[in-house]
């Protein structure tokens, strides 16, 4: 998305806001993990749109959440692309997160 601050080569991305705000405590924890593991990360704030959290919110109310992603260009098209280094950085982050 040309309007997005998330770029290829910046590492794993954390979305702090779409139509809902992500949990600040979870964000602080993942940043600490990235800092300690020397992993690149970037922050995404969407000015419009929502995600699957809407359905969860409607069914159960607010729960702590934070979206973890890989920077993508051409999302929802046949030309969708990711950079291998971002993909690997995200996998490394998830391995540490779930240890």
């Amino acid at each position: 998305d040309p309007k997005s601050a998330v770029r290829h080569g910046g590492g794993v991305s954390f979305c702090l806001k779409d139509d809902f705000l992500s949990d600040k405590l979870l964000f602080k924890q993942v940043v600490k993990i990235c800092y300690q593991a020397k992993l690149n990360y970037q922050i995404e704030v969407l000015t419009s749109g929502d995600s699957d959290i809407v359905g969860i919110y409607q069914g159960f109310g607010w729960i702590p959440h934070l979206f973890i992603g890989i920077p993508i260009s051409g999302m929802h098209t046949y030309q969708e692309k990711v950079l291998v280094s971002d993909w690997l950085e995200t996998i490394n982050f998830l391995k540490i997160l779930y240890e």
Side-chain angles (χ1 to χ4, degrees):
D1 182 354
K3 296 180 271 183
S4 177
V6 175
R7 300 285 179 239
H8 289 291
V12 59
S13 72
F14 304 114
C15 183
L16 293 183
K17 180 193 175 300
D18 54 8
D19 283 347
F20 292 85
L21 293 171
S22 294
D23 187 78
K24 289 180 184 178
L25 180 59
L26 289 174
F27 176 68
K28 287 179 182 180
Q29 290 171 337
V30 298
V31 167
K32 183 178 178 182
I33 290 169
C34 288
Y35 179 76
Q36 290 174 339
K38 296 183 171 80
L39 296 173
N40 293 316
Y41 71 93
Q42 49 192 323
I43 300 167
E44 183 173 25
V45 175
L46 301 175
T47 56
S48 65
D50 57 32
S51 59
D52 293 339
I53 197 67
V54 172
I56 295 169
Y57 177 78
Q58 290 171 342
F60 302 99
W62 190 87
I63 61 167
H65 68 280
L66 176 70
F67 292 105
I68 301 167
I70 303 169
I72 297 172
S73 60
M75 186 180 290
H76 304 301
T77 72
Y78 65 92
Q79 295 178 338
E80 190 169 284
K81 297 175 191 160
V82 299
L83 194 63
V84 171
S85 62
D86 290 329
W87 182 67
L88 293 172
E89 197 86 340
T90 304
I91 290 171
N92 289 334
F93 168 77
L94 292 172
K95 284 180 180 177
I96 295 167
L97 180 65
Y98 291 109
E99 284 182 344

